[in-house]
Amino acid sequence: MNLIIGGAYQGKLEYARERFGLSDEDICLCSEDRQPDLSKSCLYHVEQFVMLCMKNGRDPALELADWQKEHKDGLLICEDIFCGVVPTDRQTRLWREATGRFMSWAAREAESVTRIFCGLPQKIK
Amino acid sequence: MKVLISGGVKNGKTYHAQRLAKALSGKGPLYYIATMAPVDREDDERIARHIAEREGWGFETIECPTDIMSCVYRGRPEGVFLLDSTTALLANEMFSKDGSVDHSAAERVAEELRAFASCVEGIVVVSDSIYSDAQTYSELTQEYRISLAYIDRALAKSFDAVYEVCCGKIICHKGSLLEGYGKESLENKENKVQGGKV
């Protein structure tokens, strides 16, 4: 498993397409309203998947256990939502924390972690 | 040399940008492109503080809230220009006083900045990282963030070096740190910005 993290609009997906040779068929755009298509090797906006799990009272890491086995070279792309002021809205606050914990787990599991800044990759792991 | 510097607020971006521009200029002309169009007393005070901080650095200030290409005629091309910041420049270009919004400002400003950069010997551009929080923004603010990120990425692609400033320290994302400058700054023990003059 590989991870890409970075702020909004930094060029994460563009970088992922280039580095891992992904086409549209490989990418699942996650949403807080529906189950992701786990046959895809790349889960984009995985922070939205964390929100979905939170709403359903599930652990996103457990939910991805089978996906992780089936996609040894799978890719998670997450938006960095961690640096702002503590959100006043409770759900947003808990979501931010849940995503942080999830990404820390994912980073431990991952072969590589790359942060994107102004379109440029920075190797973190 | 063309450099983009970004990072969080009050982390030392301007301080490093000033030092870098000065180091790049050698004994040549040095310009500070001031982009802020003050709207209230708070802005006036902020500007006065910036001017005081630049004192003695040898910068000639060019006030330029919009139309960056006009600076070509207001400074010498062999000079080094410090533009602080794309954040203010984009806001001025995108939002007019009459309330209208230019939805094509991102592409236009990015193109003008690239064109201006190609006309001068050296340029250091300061931007702001406003992309890493969990907030939901209004449609217009969201458009502004997308636009600023577009400009950042365009400059990062075409410039020689991209630095992120974090807690007064430089993280180099592209290119290398200037000989002599970088080493000193990475070890900087008395960063003036951290020194309390904020």
Side-chain angles (χ1 to χ4, degrees):
Chain A
M1 176 166 68
N2 298 285
L3 293 191
I4 293 177
I5 177 91
Y9 322 118
Q10 296 301 294
K12 297 184 289 296
L13 187 59
E14 195 183 327
Y15 172 78
R17 283 181 194 276
E18 216 165 86
R19 173 169 160 191
F20 296 101
L22 301 177
S23 61
D24 287 345
E25 295 85 74
D26 304 313
I27 300 164
C28 167
L29 175 63
C30 298
S31 157
E32 59 170 292
D33 300 317
R34 62 172 192 298
Q35 286 297 329
D37 179 353
L38 295 180
S39 69
K40 312 278 191 188
S41 64
C42 170
L43 303 183
Y44 180 45
H45 278 296
V46 75
E47 76 281 358
Q48 298 300 326
F49 168 68
V50 175
M51 178 65 114
L52 175 76
C53 292
M54 214 179 84
K55 283 179 175 175
N56 298 330
R58 293 176 195 274
D59 178 343
L62 286 178
E63 296 289 299
L64 288 187
D66 289 339
W67 174 86
Q68 207 187 341
K69 277 179 209 140
E70 281 158 28
H71 301 277
K72 293 284 180 215
D73 296 321
L75 174 65
L76 300 180
I77 305 178
C78 183
E79 190 167 303
D80 179 354
I81 55 168
F82 310 110
C83 296
V85 175
V86 176
T88 48
D89 174 60
R90 183 167 186 271
Q91 192 180 41
T92 309
R93 196 164 60 238
L94 296 180
W95 167 56
R96 193 170 79 143
E97 290 174 10
T99 307
R101 282 193 295 272
F102 170 75
M103 286 304 283
S104 302
W105 164 81
R108 279 197 300 276
E109 296 279 312
E111 278 164 49
S112 79
V113 182
T114 309
R115 176 175 173 245
I116 307 295
F117 182 82
C118 296
L120 303 168
Q122 178 188 23
K123 190 177 165 185
I124 293 183
K125 176 179 175 182
Chain B
M1 187 167 169
K2 303 175 201 328
V3 185
L4 173 69
I5 295 184
S6 192
V9 76
K10 287 287 160 244
N11 267 244
K13 300 189 299 291
T14 297
Y15 171 74
H16 279 297
Q18 286 178 193
R19 289 190 45 174
L20 187 61
K22 179 133 186 77
L24 283 173
S25 72
K27 288 194 170 97
L30 187 57
Y31 302 99
Y32 183 95
I33 303 175
T35 50
M36 188 180 270
V39 293
D40 56 19
R41 223 182 110 193
E42 190 183 313
D43 283 344
D44 291 338
E45 286 169 1
R46 193 172 286 124
I47 287 171
R49 198 165 59 226
H50 283 176
I51 290 171
E53 280 168 6
R54 286 202 301 278
E55 225 176 60
W57 286 73
F59 283 97
E60 187 182 318
T61 301
I62 301 174
E63 299 281 349
C64 187
T66 56
D67 186 19
I68 203 68
M69 279 307 276
S70 70
C71 293
V72 170
Y73 311 105
R74 296 163 68 187
R76 304 216 308 272
E78 68 270 27
V80 171
F81 295 73
L82 164 54
L83 188 146
D84 193 359
S85 61
T86 51
T87 319
L89 179 67
L90 174 65
N92 299 339
E93 294 276 8
M94 196 167 161
F95 307 110
S96 298
K97 273 188 184 134
D98 61 12
S100 65
V101 179
D102 180 354
H103 298 286
S104 63
E107 290 86 351
R108 188 167 51 75
V109 173
E111 197 41 54
E112 286 173 7
L113 279 170
R114 271 197 301 232
F116 175 67
S118 70
C119 293
V120 299
E121 180 61 32
I123 186 165
V124 179
V125 175
V126 178
S127 192
D128 289 273
S129 290
I130 54 167
Y131 314 108
S132 300
D133 59 45
Q135 271 203 62
T136 309
Y137 292 96
S138 71
E139 206 173 303
L140 206 54
T141 307
Q142 196 71 337
E143 188 181 335
Y144 173 79
R145 292 171 88 215
I146 293 172
S147 301
L148 188 63
Y150 176 89
I151 295 170
D152 286 348
R153 296 200 311 275
L155 296 184
K157 201 168 188 176
S158 64
F159 278 18
D160 305 301
V162 178
Y163 304 151
E164 179 183 7
V165 178
C166 181
C167 303
K169 302 288 180 190
I170 293 179
I171 301 164
C172 181
H173 289 276
K174 183 182 180 181
S176 56
L177 288 168
L178 197 62
E179 192 80 19
Y181 171 80
K183 218 173 173 186
E184 193 191 335
S185 80
L186 285 171
E187 293 166 1
N188 81 72
K189 292 186 179 86
E190 44 166 358
N191 183 333
K192 277 183 189 163
V193 174
Q194 289 179 319
K197 204 180 164 189
V198 282

